[in-house]
Amino acid sequence: MIVTGLMTGTSADALDVALVDFSVIRGEDGDELVMDLLDHGEVPFPSDLGRDLLRLLELGSVPLSLVADVDSRLGVLSADAVQGILDANRVDCDLVVSHGQTVQHLLSDGVVRGTLQVGQPAWIAERTGCPVLSDVRARDVAAGGQGAPLASMLDSLLFADASEATAAVNLGGIANITVLSPGSPPVAYDTGPANALIDVMARRITGDPRGIDRDGALAGRGRVVEPLLEDLLAEPYYRQPAPKSTGKELFHAGHLDRALASRPGLDPHDVIATVTRLTALTVAAECHRHGVTRAVVSGGGTHNPALMTELRRALGDGVVLEPIDSTGLPGDAKEAALMALLGWLTWHGLPATVASCTGASRATPAGRLTPGRRPLILPEPRPHLPHRLRVTTRPEPSTSVEGDL
Ligand SMILES: Nc1ncnc2c1ncn2[C@@H]1O[C@H](COP(=O)(O)OP(=O)(O)O)[C@@H](O)[C@H]1O
Ligand SMILES: [Mg+2]
């Protein structure tokens, strides 16, 4: 079954696309799901759409007309991205899974009251003729869960055979962790910011509204301000028990500015060095909390050497830090491949969430289906979850969708 997964996270930097061919291999100890990554890449957002996405994410209130407009424009871009990767690989796909852009993840007292993603799937179904699964978080929320982190399903299958306590950590705008300890149910939650506050400072320093601390150069020019770090670490979210999730509703520019208010005149390079260490410390603390000896990282933050150096130091000698690429899954493709996996599971009548991770009362399928050109015909449900996931890639994965759409 060929599935295209689409993801755009809280950084709103680009649309990630993964084209995956799933097959099941029967083994003596259960089914192995093989995820053959045919292609992956990212489609940068045109500057006007990127700017409007950030307005939706970062401003307290925006006109409803902007929400409706971005919903359609992201739907159109998503449709083009899917058609582009299918054409480049000369294949058809059986299902598209589109996460869309989370514009609200509403929390009160640690309970998720609602979660809203935009990126109208009708455009994808109409353009490509493929059925589309979208709104993949809401069902888990309806079952009492956080609707996040969804990566826990992929992580628990990918590291099903881990013989040591392993943390899968994704460093997007927000950082999330899945802890897999032999003999214990998996645990997963958002640890706090990964790049969210780093991006805020990078934008202030460079004056570029979509700038990043490319290769950690800005943090490399600053020194950590300990009292500021302590103030930031006092944020109660870090001490809240799991399951828990967060977003830019909490970790935005205003969060940083509250801590900066009592310290005027700090060198912005020192501030970016401080928030870089904040990410490293808060991620490492959660690895230590669970006695992890191996941390497997993915996401855009892995491209920031300043952050990776801080993280290695914060983890200490007792924890091996490695990129998720060592499992065969390229780190930049993880979240789009995750979407494809959630689609495969839901299509086959299987749960797409891990209730112990999201805090839901039960594991549920994900999302809702928009029919493609043909009526929806679902296959016979599978009786069991696969026991593990194996990722295979083509010898030279092409990045055919990058930038040419
Ligand atoms: N070369 C790089 N140097 C430093 N930071 C980078 C680099 N590439 C990506 N990033 C960081 O990664 C972020 C995007 O990560 P990503 O995993 O796509 O997050 P999300 O899932 O939130 O979209 C960017 O906003 C930036 O902070
Ligand atoms: Mg991204």
Side-chain angles (χ1 to χ4, degrees):
M1 177 182 186
I2 296 187
V3 185
T4 308
L6 301 176
M7 179 71 200
T8 165
T10 48
S11 305
D13 54 321
L15 181 67
D16 299 338
V17 189
L19 182 65
V20 172
D21 190 1
F22 287 104
S23 52
V24 175
I25 296 178
R26 286 251 156 77
E28 279 177 7
D29 60 342
D31 291 345
E32 178 177 69
L33 181 62
V34 179
M35 180 195 254
D36 188 14
L37 188 63
L38 302 178
D39 197 2
H40 69 96
E42 61 173 39
V43 181
F45 291 127
S47 58
D48 56 339
L49 178 57
R51 189 194 58 225
D52 287 344
L53 282 168
L54 290 177
R55 280 179 69 196
L56 291 187
L57 285 174
E58 287 168 5
L59 294 187
S61 73
V62 290
L64 197 47
S65 55
L66 181 66
V67 180
D69 187 36
V70 167
D71 187 40
S72 288
R73 284 153 68 202
L74 183 55
V76 171
L77 184 94
S78 301
D80 289 347
V82 174
Q83 197 58 58
I85 201 167
L86 295 178
D87 290 348
N89 290 275
R90 296 189 187 84
V91 292
D92 288 327
C93 81
D94 303 295
L95 178 68
V96 177
V97 186
S98 176
H99 178 273
Q101 182 71 54
T102 297
V103 291
Q104 284 285 305
H105 192 65
L106 284 177
L107 279 147
S108 62
D109 295 331
V111 176
V112 178
R113 304 282 175 204
T115 184
L116 180 65
Q117 286 79 41
V118 300
Q120 177 51 252
W123 295 96
I124 308 172
E126 190 57 23
R127 167 93 201 263
T128 66
C130 304
V132 185
L133 185 78
S134 57
D135 269 319
V136 292
R137 296 187 189 272
R139 183 66 174 271
D140 184 72
V141 171
Q146 297 280 317
L150 297 176
S152 47
M153 174 54 88
L154 184 145
D155 294 333
S156 21
L157 290 174
L158 190 59
F159 299 103
D161 298 327
S163 57
E164 60 184 319
T166 301
V169 179
N170 192 66
L171 299 169
I174 299 296
N176 62 60
I177 188 172
T178 306
V179 180
L180 303 134
S181 305
S184 303
V187 177
Y189 50 95
D190 292 337
T191 62
N195 296 295
L197 301 179
I198 298 174
D199 285 354
V200 167
M201 283 314 299
R203 284 156 202 185
R204 285 186 185 170
I205 295 171
T206 61
D208 173 356
R210 297 180 62 209
I212 61 169
D213 184 9
R214 190 160 297 286
D215 305 330
L218 301 173
R221 286 172 51 195
R223 291 170 63 170
V224 172
V225 183
E226 288 295 340
L228 173 63
L229 181 62
E230 273 165 39
D231 278 4
L232 291 167
L233 284 168
E235 162 55 48
Y237 180 80
Y238 301 125
R239 279 174 297 288
Q240 202 177 298
K244 60 179 179 176
S245 58
T246 188
K248 283 201 167 166
E249 292 80 3
L250 175 58
F251 294 108
H252 53 51
H255 174 83
L256 188 54
D257 285 338
R258 268 194 298 281
L260 290 175
S262 56
R263 297 194 169 73
L266 284 181
D267 180 339
H269 295 93
D270 292 349
V271 178
I272 199 167
T274 306
V275 293
T276 302
R277 183 167 296 174
L278 174 75
T279 294
L281 290 185
T282 48
V283 167
E286 299 312 316
C287 292
H288 292 145
R289 184 194 299 279
H290 298 283
V292 158
T293 51
R294 179 185 178 212
V296 186
V297 287
S298 57
T302 60
H303 300 299
N304 180 338
L307 176 57
M308 295 311 287
T309 301
E310 288 282 353
L311 183 56
R312 200 167 286 113
R313 197 166 67 187
L315 285 170
D317 291 341
V319 184
V320 174
L321 179 65
E322 59 182 88
I324 200 169
D325 306 55
S326 59
T327 67
L329 178 59
D332 291 331
K334 179 182 178 184
E335 294 212 310
L338 162 67
M339 289 303 126
L341 173 66
L342 301 186
W344 185 89
L345 292 165
T346 299
W347 193 253
H348 289 93
L350 293 167
T353 54
V354 183
S356 71
C357 293
T358 64
S361 57
R362 67 185 196 96
T364 56
R368 54 176 148 166
L369 281 162
T370 302
R373 203 156 289 135
R374 289 184 287 278
L376 275 179
I377 301 172
L378 270 63
E380 196 62 27
R382 284 190 167 268
H384 306 292
L385 264 180
H387 281 207
R388 69 174 67 82
L389 175 71
R390 180 157 58 89
V391 182
T392 56
T393 46
R394 300 294 146 132
E396 285 187 19
S398 96
T399 48
S400 54
V401 292
E402 194 155 0
D404 64 352
L405 289 165

